[in-house]
Amino acid sequence: MSRRTSRPRAATPRITPAAPCPCGLPATYGDCCGRFHSGTAAAPTCEALMRSRYAAFVVQDAAYLLRTWHPETRPPAVDFDPALRWTGLEILDTAEGSAFHTTGTVTFRAHYTDDGRPDSLHEKSRFTRHEGAWVYATAVFVD
C-alpha cells in the first residue's frame, strides 16, 4: 500500500471504537481490528491480520503496521499519502494461514481514491509466523 511522501500530511482519520470496522466485517472497529491495533488481542489468522493491516492504513496506525511486518522486509517507517483515502477491502482468496499453519497467503483488492479519483490495489500477500505471531512478509502485485 502507498508510502508516498510528496504531499503535506493530513490529519489522521478519526474512527471511534463504535464505528463500523473499515475491514468490511460486520463488527465495530473496537470489537474487530481495533483490539488488534491496541494490542489487547493478536490476529488469529493471516486473513485477520490482512484485514487489520488494511484497517491500520485507513486509521493511519504506522506503529501497528511496523509491528506486524516481518523484520527482514520491514521498512524503517511508514508514510501515509494525505491525498489517498482507503474506501473498501475485498478478500478474493486465502490459502492456509489458520491457527494450524505457519505460512499463508491472502489475495485481495483494496479500493481507494487518490485526489478523489477511484482506483484499486490488487495484491497477493504472503504471511508467516514470527515469534508465534502472524506477520506480513512480502507481496506480489497482481495488476
Side-chain angles (χ1 to χ4, degrees):
M1 297 194 189
S2 178
R3 293 178 33 217
R4 292 182 286 175
T5 59
S6 60
R7 299 177 188 139
R9 287 189 178 267
T12 301
R14 299 284 182 230
I15 294 182
T16 67
C21 193
C23 82
L25 290 178
T28 64
Y29 172 67
D31 289 337
C32 194
C33 295
R35 62 197 174 106
F36 303 142
H37 295 172
S38 70
T40 59
T45 65
C46 63
E47 181 179 333
L49 182 63
M50 173 61 239
R51 287 180 178 279
S52 70
R53 286 179 54 84
Y54 169 82
F57 273 97
V58 173
V59 301
Q60 298 184 3
D61 187 343
Y64 180 77
L65 291 166
L66 292 171
R67 189 169 69 244
T68 59
W69 211 312
H70 196 284
E72 291 179 7
T73 58
R74 179 188 309 137
V78 176
D79 295 316
F80 300 102
D81 184 340
L84 203 106
R85 294 289 174 255
W86 297 101
T87 59
L89 176 66
E90 293 176 78
I91 301 296
L92 305 173
D93 188 42
T94 60
E96 297 186 336
S98 76
F100 303 105
H101 297 106
T102 57
T103 62
T105 61
V106 178
T107 304
F108 67 92
R109 186 177 309 275
H111 298 273
Y112 63 91
T113 60
D114 189 358
D115 273 335
R117 292 180 305 274
D119 206 344
S120 66
L121 170 75
H122 190 184
E123 181 179 306
K124 181 176 185 176
S125 293
R126 188 175 69 81
F127 298 87
T128 189
R129 288 197 185 267
H130 179 73
E131 297 178 354
W134 284 111
V135 292
Y136 168 79
T138 59
V140 174
F141 295 98
V142 180
D143 290 342

